Amino acid sequence: MSFNSLDSILGEAQKGLVTGNISKNINITDIIDTPDARTEIEDDNHTIAELAQSIQENGLIQPISLRKTDNGYEVLAGRRRLAAVKTLHWENIPAVIHEDVDDRKAEAIMLQENIHRKDFSQFELAQQIRKMRDEGMSLVEIAKMFGKKESWVRMFISISGLSPELIEEIEQGGRVKNATALSSLASIEKINPELAMKTAQDITDNPEKNY
């Protein structure tokens, strides 16, 4: 199975361009509220409040994306928009309903939304990519999904193998965006865990340094 880039997938999802998609107003009570979604939203109350104020002033500019399930509608993109309109006591919300989205494509759309979270880390992305690989997706498929090269996928698969101790050490020092450094750290840990810990401390102190 081949994929466009995540931006392309999300763009189609939000604009309703894929054949079989339907744009309509959906009763909010028909949308499934999962435990994971509730936890994610509860951790982001300040942003939800700001978004609700914007929607109240300007309206909902972009519809949310849903897919039909046996139990109702599942949110593919727009959890925060949904949470915001709930605080405004809306009964219905504009949505694009996708009739041709399988589980893999649904995960891609959800991941795209999560990537834009302010607190989304390189480690979370690495674990998501590892999950896709473990579920049978090839390096080529994952690379196409993200619009990246296979080497980029391998780099994040490498990062997913970092020990919890090293991840904790790095996260305590702040958010690190240098994926190349984290991949190098994973290689070091396989050979010399003690050196890897020292390198982790160096990465947090010098996040833009090349390794």
Side-chain angles (χ1 to χ4, degrees), residues 9 41 69 73 101 121 124-125 138 147 158 179:
I9 292 171
I41 296 304
T69 71
Y73 293 97
V101 175
S121 73
E124 289 178 280
L125 179 56
S138 69
S158 175

Side-chain angles (χ1 to χ4, degrees), residues 100-129:
D100 61 348
V101 175
D102 58 21
D103 288 343
R104 284 186 178 181
K105 197 167 185 180
E107 284 188 11
I109 296 171
M110 293 177 187
L111 179 56
Q112 171 69 27
E113 184 175 28
N114 281 333
I115 285 174
H116 292 297
R117 280 181 12 222
K118 293 180 180 178
D119 61 341
F120 193 78
S121 73
Q122 301 283 41
F123 301 117
E124 289 178 280
L125 179 56
Q127 290 302 324
Q128 289 288 341
I129 291 174

Side-chain angles (χ1 to χ4, degrees), residues 72-141:
Y73 293 97
E74 178 185 16
V75 178
L76 298 178
R79 287 181 178 177
R80 287 167 179 74
R81 278 167 277 161
L82 175 61
V85 301
K86 282 182 178 180
T87 67
L88 299 175
H89 306 293
W90 286 20
E91 293 184 0
N92 302 295
I93 185 169
V96 175
I97 314 302
H98 300 274
E99 300 181 338
D100 61 348
V101 175
D102 58 21
D103 288 343
R104 284 186 178 181
K105 197 167 185 180
E107 284 188 11
I109 296 171
M110 293 177 187
L111 179 56
Q112 171 69 27
E113 184 175 28
N114 281 333
I115 285 174
H116 292 297
R117 280 181 12 222
K118 293 180 180 178
D119 61 341
F120 193 78
S121 73
Q122 301 283 41
F123 301 117
E124 289 178 280
L125 179 56
Q127 290 302 324
Q128 289 288 341
I129 291 174
R130 165 65 72 177
K131 179 182 177 183
M132 292 174 185
R133 189 75 176 98
D134 291 345
E135 290 178 348
M137 291 183 66
S138 69
L139 295 177
V140 173
E141 287 175 331

Side-chain angles (χ1 to χ4, degrees), residues 191-205:
I191 301 171
N192 190 330
E194 184 177 346
L195 176 59
M197 183 59 71
K198 293 179 180 178
T199 305
Q201 295 168 351
D202 188 38
I203 289 174
T204 57
D205 292 337

